[in-house]
């Protein structure tokens, strides 16, 4: 079955800041977005990572 998306949110430049992505999802939870494409490194050390 083919699914067509009308509203695609593309997110990038996260560099390991997964909390920022979670915050974005909460803020956009009532928006009519059909799909989210995350481009970038979710596993990189973010600003809050311990050295």
């Amino acid at each position: 079955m083919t699914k067509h998306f009308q509203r695609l949110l593309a997110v990038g430049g996260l560099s390991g800041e997964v909390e920022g992505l979670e915050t974005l999802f909460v803020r956009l939870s009532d928006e009519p977005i059909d799909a989210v494409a995350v481009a970038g490194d979710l596993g990189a050390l973010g600003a809050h990572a311990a050295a």
Side-chain angles (χ1 to χ4, degrees):
M1 174 191 265
T2 302
K3 172 97 172 148
H4 297 279
F5 299 112
Q6 292 184 2
R7 292 174 191 90
L8 172 67
L9 172 67
V11 180
L14 296 173
S15 300
E17 292 294 335
V18 178
E19 289 107 5
L21 182 61
E22 291 172 345
T23 301
L24 178 65
F25 286 157
V26 169
R27 292 178 66 187
L28 296 176
S29 63
D30 292 330
E31 297 296 322
I33 297 170
D34 298 316
V36 177
V38 178
D41 192 352
L42 294 177
L45 292 178
H48 302 292

